[in-house]
Amino acid sequence: MLGTHNYKRYAGSGNAGNSTSSVSTTGNSTSASVDTAESAPALVSLTTPVCVDSRTTHFARSSTPTPDKLRGKIKLVASDLDGTLLTDASCISPRTAQTICRLAKNGIDFTIATGRILSRLPLNLCRETDLHYAVLANGAETWDLKRNICLSTLPLSGATVTAVLRVLAAFPLYFEVYFAGEAYTDNARRQFYRDSLYSPAKLIDMRRSRHTVPDLFEFVAARKISKVVMPQATPELLAELDRKCAPIKDLIITNSAFGNREYNAGNCTKVAGIKALVEYLHLQLDEVLVFGDAGNDLPMFATFPHSVAMANATPNIAAKAAYRTGNNNADGVAEFCEAYLL
Protein backbone atom coordinates (compact mmCIF):
# COMPACT_ATOMS: atom_id res chain seq x y z
CA MET A 1 0.00 0.00 0.00
CA LEU A 2 1.48 3.30 -1.10
CA GLY A 3 0.85 6.69 0.39
CA THR A 4 2.41 9.93 1.52
CA HIS A 5 3.15 11.40 4.91
CA ASN A 6 4.61 14.49 6.56
CA TYR A 7 7.93 13.08 7.75
CA LYS A 8 9.71 16.45 7.62
CA ARG A 9 7.09 17.84 9.97
CA TYR A 10 8.14 15.29 12.56
CA ALA A 11 11.90 15.27 12.04
CA GLY A 12 13.04 16.39 15.43
CA SER A 13 10.12 15.09 17.47
CA GLY A 14 10.45 12.63 20.21
CA ASN A 15 12.17 10.96 23.06
CA ALA A 16 10.98 7.87 24.82
CA GLY A 17 11.86 5.62 27.69
CA ASN A 18 13.67 2.32 27.80
CA SER A 19 12.33 -1.09 26.92
CA THR A 20 12.84 -3.23 29.98
CA SER A 21 10.45 -6.15 29.79
CA SER A 22 8.25 -8.13 27.47
CA VAL A 23 5.08 -10.18 27.30
CA SER A 24 3.24 -11.53 24.31
CA THR A 25 -0.22 -12.82 23.59
CA THR A 26 -1.10 -13.97 20.10
CA GLY A 27 -4.52 -14.69 18.68
CA ASN A 28 -6.72 -16.49 21.16
CA SER A 29 -3.97 -17.93 23.32
CA THR A 30 -2.01 -16.11 25.98
CA SER A 31 1.67 -16.71 26.57
CA ALA A 32 2.68 -14.17 29.18
CA SER A 33 6.16 -13.98 30.61
CA VAL A 34 7.39 -10.61 31.76
CA ASP A 35 11.16 -10.46 31.87
CA THR A 36 13.12 -7.93 33.87
CA ALA A 37 16.12 -6.61 31.93
CA GLU A 38 19.42 -7.75 33.36
CA SER A 39 22.92 -6.48 32.80
CA ALA A 40 24.81 -8.72 30.36
CA PRO A 41 22.62 -11.83 30.79
CA ALA A 42 24.07 -15.24 30.08
CA LEU A 43 23.45 -16.21 26.46
CA VAL A 44 21.96 -19.66 26.11
CA SER A 45 23.72 -21.72 23.43
CA LEU A 46 26.08 -18.88 22.56
CA THR A 47 29.29 -20.67 23.31
CA THR A 48 31.98 -19.79 20.77
CA PRO A 49 33.91 -16.55 21.43
CA VAL A 50 35.03 -15.11 18.11
CA CYS A 51 36.18 -11.60 18.93
CA VAL A 52 37.33 -9.84 22.04
CA ASP A 53 37.78 -6.08 22.36
CA SER A 54 38.14 -3.76 25.34
CA ARG A 55 34.51 -4.19 26.43
CA THR A 56 32.66 -7.03 24.80
CA THR A 57 33.04 -10.61 23.68
CA HIS A 58 30.94 -11.36 20.59
CA PHE A 59 29.59 -14.87 20.36
CA ALA A 60 28.08 -16.97 17.61
CA ARG A 61 26.04 -20.15 17.75
CA SER A 62 27.78 -23.10 16.22
CA SER A 63 25.02 -23.23 13.58
CA THR A 64 25.60 -19.66 12.39
CA PRO A 65 28.60 -18.02 10.70
CA THR A 66 31.03 -16.18 12.92
CA PRO A 67 30.56 -12.39 12.76
CA ASP A 68 33.70 -11.89 10.65
CA LYS A 69 31.88 -13.68 7.80
CA LEU A 70 29.20 -10.94 7.70
CA ARG A 71 31.29 -8.29 5.96
CA GLY A 72 30.15 -7.99 2.34
CA LYS A 73 27.07 -10.15 2.98
CA ILE A 74 24.80 -7.83 4.96
CA LYS A 75 22.81 -5.33 2.88
CA LEU A 76 20.32 -4.09 5.49
CA VAL A 77 20.68 -3.38 9.21
CA ALA A 78 17.45 -3.19 11.24
CA SER A 79 17.62 -1.90 14.81
CA ASP A 80 15.20 -1.45 17.64
CA LEU A 81 15.34 1.99 19.27
CA ASP A 82 14.78 2.06 23.04
CA GLY A 83 17.32 -0.02 24.91
CA THR A 84 19.16 -0.77 21.66
CA LEU A 85 20.11 2.08 19.32
CA LEU A 86 19.31 4.83 21.84
CA THR A 87 20.94 5.50 25.18
CA ASP A 88 18.97 5.56 28.41
CA ALA A 89 18.62 9.31 27.82
CA SER A 90 16.64 8.48 24.66
CA CYS A 91 19.14 9.94 22.23
CA ILE A 92 21.56 8.53 19.71
CA SER A 93 25.26 8.98 20.49
CA PRO A 94 27.58 10.74 18.02
CA ARG A 95 29.49 7.51 17.43
CA THR A 96 26.37 5.52 16.61
CA ALA A 97 25.00 8.26 14.34
CA GLN A 98 28.31 8.38 12.46
CA THR A 99 28.28 4.60 12.10
CA ILE A 100 24.82 4.68 10.48
CA CYS A 101 26.10 7.27 8.00
CA ARG A 102 29.15 5.10 7.28
CA LEU A 103 26.90 2.12 6.60
CA ALA A 104 25.06 4.12 3.93
CA LYS A 105 28.33 5.19 2.32
CA ASN A 106 29.33 1.52 2.17
CA GLY A 107 26.10 0.50 0.43
CA ILE A 108 24.37 -0.92 3.51
CA ASP A 109 20.84 0.33 4.13
CA PHE A 110 19.63 1.03 7.65
CA THR A 111 16.15 0.99 9.16
CA ILE A 112 14.76 1.47 12.63
CA ALA A 113 12.25 -1.15 13.79
CA THR A 114 10.36 0.33 16.72
CA GLY A 115 7.11 0.45 18.62
CA ARG A 116 7.18 4.25 18.33
CA ILE A 117 5.12 6.30 15.90
CA LEU A 118 6.43 8.89 13.49
CA SER A 119 5.77 11.88 15.75
CA ARG A 120 7.82 10.35 18.57
CA LEU A 121 11.10 9.72 16.80
CA PRO A 122 14.06 11.34 18.55
CA LEU A 123 15.29 14.70 17.35
CA ASN A 124 18.95 13.86 16.87
CA LEU A 125 18.22 10.48 15.25
CA CYS A 126 16.37 12.20 12.41
CA ARG A 127 18.85 15.05 12.05
CA GLU A 128 22.16 13.27 12.40
CA THR A 129 21.55 10.05 10.47
CA ASP A 130 19.46 11.31 7.53
CA LEU A 131 17.09 8.44 8.32
CA HIS A 132 15.83 6.74 5.15
CA TYR A 133 13.63 3.84 6.27
CA ALA A 134 11.43 3.20 9.30
CA VAL A 135 9.37 0.27 10.59
CA LEU A 136 6.95 1.89 13.05
CA ALA A 137 4.34 0.89 15.65
CA ASN A 138 5.72 -2.65 15.87
CA GLY A 139 5.40 -3.15 12.11
CA ALA A 140 2.02 -1.49 11.57
CA GLU A 141 3.63 0.98 9.16
CA THR A 142 6.77 0.73 7.03
CA TRP A 143 8.10 3.86 5.32
CA ASP A 144 10.57 5.00 2.73
CA LEU A 145 10.93 8.36 4.46
CA LYS A 146 12.99 10.11 1.81
CA ARG A 147 10.50 9.30 -0.93
CA ASN A 148 7.44 9.77 1.31
CA ILE A 149 6.17 6.29 0.42
CA CYS A 150 4.33 3.98 2.78
CA LEU A 151 5.45 0.48 1.82
CA SER A 152 2.97 -1.42 3.99
CA THR A 153 0.29 -0.92 6.61
CA LEU A 154 -1.11 -3.52 9.03
CA PRO A 155 -3.84 -1.76 11.02
CA LEU A 156 -6.10 -3.32 13.61
CA SER A 157 -9.58 -4.24 12.40
CA GLY A 158 -12.41 -2.08 13.66
CA ALA A 159 -13.91 -4.96 15.62
CA THR A 160 -10.58 -5.76 17.29
CA VAL A 161 -9.91 -2.14 18.27
CA THR A 162 -13.38 -1.79 19.77
CA ALA A 163 -13.04 -5.05 21.70
CA VAL A 164 -9.68 -3.98 23.18
CA LEU A 165 -10.98 -0.53 24.12
CA ARG A 166 -13.98 -2.05 25.87
CA VAL A 167 -11.70 -4.19 28.01
CA LEU A 168 -9.40 -1.29 28.90
CA ALA A 169 -12.24 1.18 29.51
CA ALA A 170 -13.64 -1.03 32.27
CA PHE A 171 -10.63 -0.15 34.44
CA PRO A 172 -9.28 3.17 35.79
CA LEU A 173 -6.47 3.31 33.24
CA TYR A 174 -4.95 5.77 30.82
CA PHE A 175 -4.59 4.48 27.27
CA GLU A 176 -4.27 5.88 23.76
CA VAL A 177 -4.51 4.85 20.11
CA TYR A 178 -2.11 5.52 17.24
CA PHE A 179 -3.44 6.89 13.97
CA ALA A 180 -1.53 8.45 11.06
CA GLY A 181 1.65 8.89 13.08
CA GLU A 182 -0.03 10.61 16.06
CA ALA A 183 -1.42 9.53 19.44
CA TYR A 184 -5.02 10.10 20.55
CA THR A 185 -6.94 9.71 23.79
CA ASP A 186 -10.21 11.14 25.14
CA ASN A 187 -11.38 13.14 28.14
CA ALA A 188 -12.51 10.04 30.02
CA ARG A 189 -8.98 8.62 29.84
CA ARG A 190 -7.17 11.89 30.56
CA GLN A 191 -8.34 11.84 34.16
CA PHE A 192 -6.11 8.80 34.71
CA TYR A 193 -3.06 10.30 33.07
CA ARG A 194 -0.05 10.99 35.30
CA ASP A 195 3.42 12.19 34.38
CA SER A 196 4.72 9.34 36.50
CA LEU A 197 3.46 6.90 33.84
CA TYR A 198 6.50 7.80 31.75
CA SER A 199 10.20 8.31 32.17
CA PRO A 200 11.37 11.95 32.24
CA ALA A 201 12.93 11.51 28.81
CA LYS A 202 9.58 10.47 27.34
CA LEU A 203 7.42 13.24 28.76
CA ILE A 204 8.35 15.81 26.13
CA ASP A 205 7.24 13.45 23.38
CA MET A 206 4.03 12.57 25.16
CA ARG A 207 3.00 16.18 25.56
CA ARG A 208 3.95 17.09 22.00
CA SER A 209 2.22 14.29 20.10
CA ARG A 210 -0.84 13.43 22.17
CA HIS A 211 -4.26 14.72 21.09
CA THR A 212 -7.53 14.60 23.02
CA VAL A 213 -10.81 13.81 21.25
CA PRO A 214 -14.32 13.86 22.77
CA ASP A 215 -14.92 10.11 22.49
CA LEU A 216 -12.30 7.52 21.58
CA PHE A 217 -14.87 4.91 20.53
CA GLU A 218 -16.35 7.31 17.99
CA PHE A 219 -12.88 8.34 16.84
CA VAL A 220 -11.70 4.80 16.04
CA ALA A 221 -14.95 3.83 14.29
CA ALA A 222 -14.02 5.72 11.13
CA ARG A 223 -10.22 5.28 11.15
CA LYS A 224 -7.52 2.65 10.63
CA ILE A 225 -5.78 2.35 14.00
CA SER A 226 -2.22 1.07 13.96
CA LYS A 227 -1.82 0.31 17.67
CA VAL A 228 -3.46 0.65 21.09
CA VAL A 229 -1.13 1.41 24.01
CA MET A 230 -1.72 1.15 27.76
CA PRO A 231 1.41 2.55 29.44
CA GLN A 232 1.29 1.16 32.97
CA ALA A 233 -0.65 -1.11 35.32
CA THR A 234 0.05 -3.30 38.31
CA PRO A 235 1.03 -6.94 37.73
CA GLU A 236 -2.34 -8.05 39.06
CA LEU A 237 -4.23 -5.77 36.71
CA LEU A 238 -2.04 -6.78 33.77
CA ALA A 239 -2.93 -10.40 34.40
CA GLU A 240 -6.63 -9.50 34.41
CA LEU A 241 -6.29 -7.49 31.18
CA ASP A 242 -4.45 -10.35 29.50
CA ARG A 243 -7.16 -12.80 30.58
CA LYS A 244 -9.95 -10.61 29.24
CA CYS A 245 -8.14 -9.88 25.97
CA ALA A 246 -7.22 -13.52 25.31
CA PRO A 247 -10.52 -14.34 23.50
CA ILE A 248 -10.20 -11.35 21.13
CA LYS A 249 -9.43 -12.53 17.61
CA ASP A 250 -6.74 -11.16 15.31
CA LEU A 251 -4.71 -9.63 18.13
CA ILE A 252 -1.07 -9.63 19.23
CA ILE A 253 -0.15 -8.23 22.64
CA THR A 254 3.43 -7.29 23.51
CA ASN A 255 5.14 -5.02 25.96
CA SER A 256 8.20 -2.85 25.45
CA ALA A 257 8.47 -1.40 28.97
CA PHE A 258 7.78 -2.71 32.43
CA GLY A 259 4.04 -2.74 33.13
CA ASN A 260 2.80 -1.64 29.71
CA ARG A 261 0.75 -3.37 27.02
CA GLU A 262 0.79 -2.78 23.26
CA TYR A 263 -2.00 -4.15 21.06
CA ASN A 264 -1.47 -4.80 17.34
CA ALA A 265 -3.21 -6.71 14.58
CA GLY A 266 -2.63 -10.46 14.62
CA ASN A 267 -0.39 -10.33 11.54
CA CYS A 268 1.57 -7.29 12.72
CA THR A 269 5.12 -7.67 14.00
CA LYS A 270 8.39 -5.94 13.27
CA VAL A 271 9.17 -8.90 11.02
CA ALA A 272 6.25 -8.08 8.73
CA GLY A 273 7.52 -4.52 8.34
CA ILE A 274 11.11 -5.57 7.71
CA LYS A 275 9.97 -8.16 5.16
CA ALA A 276 8.09 -5.43 3.28
CA LEU A 277 11.34 -3.46 3.17
CA VAL A 278 13.32 -6.55 2.14
CA GLU A 279 10.97 -7.03 -0.80
CA TYR A 280 11.14 -3.34 -1.68
CA LEU A 281 14.95 -3.44 -1.73
CA HIS A 282 15.06 -6.84 -3.52
CA LEU A 283 17.01 -8.52 -0.74
CA GLN A 284 17.10 -11.95 0.90
CA LEU A 285 16.43 -12.65 4.59
CA ASP A 286 20.03 -13.72 5.17
CA GLU A 287 21.22 -10.30 3.97
CA VAL A 288 19.58 -8.64 6.99
CA LEU A 289 21.20 -8.03 10.39
CA VAL A 290 18.86 -7.21 13.29
CA PHE A 291 19.54 -5.70 16.73
CA GLY A 292 17.21 -5.81 19.74
CA ASP A 293 16.82 -6.08 23.49
CA ALA A 294 13.21 -6.85 24.48
CA GLY A 295 10.10 -8.92 23.85
CA ASN A 296 8.71 -7.10 20.83
CA ASP A 297 12.04 -7.87 19.11
CA LEU A 298 11.63 -11.62 19.58
CA PRO A 299 9.94 -12.30 16.20
CA MET A 300 12.93 -10.68 14.45
CA PHE A 301 15.34 -13.00 16.26
CA ALA A 302 13.22 -16.04 15.36
CA THR A 303 13.07 -15.08 11.67
CA PHE A 304 16.38 -13.56 10.61
CA PRO A 305 19.49 -15.75 10.94
CA HIS A 306 21.76 -12.82 11.78
CA SER A 307 20.55 -11.35 15.08
CA VAL A 308 22.46 -9.40 17.73
CA ALA A 309 21.39 -9.09 21.37
CA MET A 310 22.44 -6.10 23.39
CA ALA A 311 24.28 -6.78 26.66
CA ASN A 312 21.22 -5.33 28.43
CA ALA A 313 18.81 -7.64 26.58
CA THR A 314 16.19 -9.66 28.43
CA PRO A 315 17.02 -13.36 28.86
CA ASN A 316 14.56 -14.57 26.21
CA ILE A 317 16.11 -12.28 23.61
CA ALA A 318 19.65 -13.25 24.64
CA ALA A 319 18.77 -16.92 24.27
CA LYS A 320 17.58 -16.44 20.68
CA ALA A 321 20.47 -14.26 19.48
CA ALA A 322 23.13 -15.44 17.07
CA TYR A 323 25.54 -12.81 18.37
CA ARG A 324 25.93 -10.33 21.19
CA THR A 325 27.36 -6.85 21.61
CA GLY A 326 27.78 -4.11 24.21
CA ASN A 327 24.89 -2.36 25.92
CA ASN A 328 22.87 0.56 24.61
CA ASN A 329 24.84 3.08 26.70
CA ALA A 330 28.17 1.84 25.31
CA ASP A 331 27.44 2.16 21.56
CA GLY A 332 26.75 -1.56 21.24
CA VAL A 333 25.21 -1.27 17.76
CA ALA A 334 28.09 0.85 16.49
CA GLU A 335 30.64 -1.46 18.10
CA PHE A 336 29.34 -4.51 16.26
CA CYS A 337 28.86 -2.76 12.91
CA GLU A 338 32.34 -1.24 13.01
CA ALA A 339 33.92 -4.59 13.82
CA TYR A 340 32.11 -6.77 11.30
CA LEU A 341 30.45 -4.70 8.59
CA LEU A 342 32.71 -1.69 7.95
Side-chain angles (χ1 to χ4, degrees):
M1 177 178 180
L2 302 183
T4 61
H5 70 346
N6 294 318
Y7 167 62
K8 291 182 180 179
R9 169 187 170 193
Y10 298 120
S13 296
N15 291 311
N18 262 1
S19 299
T20 56
S21 61
S22 64
V23 60
S24 63
T25 304
T26 306
N28 296 329
S29 62
T30 302
S31 173
S33 60
V34 178
D35 294 312
T36 302
E38 299 175 357
S39 177
L43 300 190
V44 177
S45 301
L46 307 190
T47 56
T48 307
V50 296
C51 175
V52 179
D53 64 13
S54 60
R55 290 175 307 204
T56 306
T57 302
H58 301 100
F59 294 82
R61 290 198 197 101
S62 59
S63 60
T64 59
T66 55
D68 58 344
K69 300 293 181 65
L70 297 178
R71 186 174 285 105
K73 181 178 183 62
I74 298 301
K75 304 300 182 185
L76 174 66
V77 173
S79 178
D80 172 54
L81 282 184
D82 299 294
T84 302
L85 194 71
L86 305 181
T87 68
D88 288 349
S90 281
C91 65
I92 188 169
S93 73
R95 177 186 176 188
T96 298
Q98 291 168 8
T99 298
I100 292 173
C101 293
R102 289 179 61 197
L103 289 172
K105 290 179 180 179
N106 282 270
I108 302 172
D109 287 308
F110 178 86
T111 184
I112 57 172
T114 178
R116 296 192 189 202
I117 47 178
L118 191 62
S119 59
R120 291 177 179 170
L121 296 184
L123 172 63
N124 70 334
L125 171 67
C126 300
R127 289 182 176 176
E128 297 177 21
T129 66
D130 195 22
L131 191 63
H132 195 160
Y133 303 107
V135 176
L136 304 169
N138 290 336
E141 296 182 1
T142 301
W143 288 94
D144 180 333
L145 298 171
K146 290 187 177 180
R147 295 183 176 89
N148 289 335
I149 298 174
C150 183
L151 305 178
S152 68
T153 59
L154 294 170
L156 289 148
S157 70
T160 300
V161 173
T162 300
V164 171
L165 294 188
R166 283 175 177 165
V167 170
L168 296 178
F171 299 90
L173 293 169
Y174 174 78
F175 55 85
E176 57 189 23
V177 301
Y178 291 169
F179 168 71
E182 298 276 358
Y184 295 84
T185 190
D186 63 17
N187 291 320
R189 296 303 106 196
R190 282 296 296 269
Q191 66 177 309
F192 302 116
Y193 173 82
R194 302 289 185 275
D195 281 354
S196 59
L197 295 175
Y198 303 97
S199 67
K202 195 170 184 178
L203 284 176
I204 294 175
D205 284 347
M206 295 303 301
R207 293 164 178 163
R208 180 179 298 161
S209 61
R210 182 185 59 229
H211 307 279
T212 302
V213 298
D215 187 287
L216 209 51
F217 284 91
E218 292 183 2
F219 179 83
V220 303
R223 293 169 175 84
K224 298 292 186 181
I225 302 303
S226 60
K227 189 168 78 167
V228 179
V229 181
M230 190 285 300
Q232 191 176 71
T234 64
E236 295 77 15
L237 185 48
L238 290 174
E240 181 69 5
L241 293 174
D242 291 343
R243 184 184 68 80
K244 288 183 176 293
C245 286
I248 299 175
K249 296 181 179 180
D250 191 28
L251 180 67
I252 289 179
I253 305 174
T254 60
N255 74 328
S256 59
F258 182 77
N260 92 324
R261 289 294 183 267
E262 302 182 358
Y263 303 87
N264 285 96
N267 61 343
C268 180
T269 66
K270 292 182 180 182
V271 167
I274 297 172
K275 281 186 173 180
L277 187 54
V278 165
E279 182 177 353
Y280 180 66
L281 297 174
H282 306 290
L283 302 178
Q284 303 297 319
L285 297 187
D286 64 355
E287 294 178 306
V288 179
L289 178 70
V290 299
F291 290 86
D293 74 307
N296 60 353
D297 301 317
L298 198 57
M300 296 194 302
F301 281 49
T303 302
F304 298 99
H306 305 301
S307 57
V308 187
M310 309 302 290
N312 51 285
T314 56
N316 58 344
I317 289 292
K320 289 289 186 180
Y323 315 109
R324 68 168 296 169
T325 189
N327 68 48
N328 63 309
N329 290 317
D331 296 302
V333 172
E335 175 189 325
F336 193 94
C337 291
E338 289 167 357
Y340 302 114
L341 301 185
L342 297 173

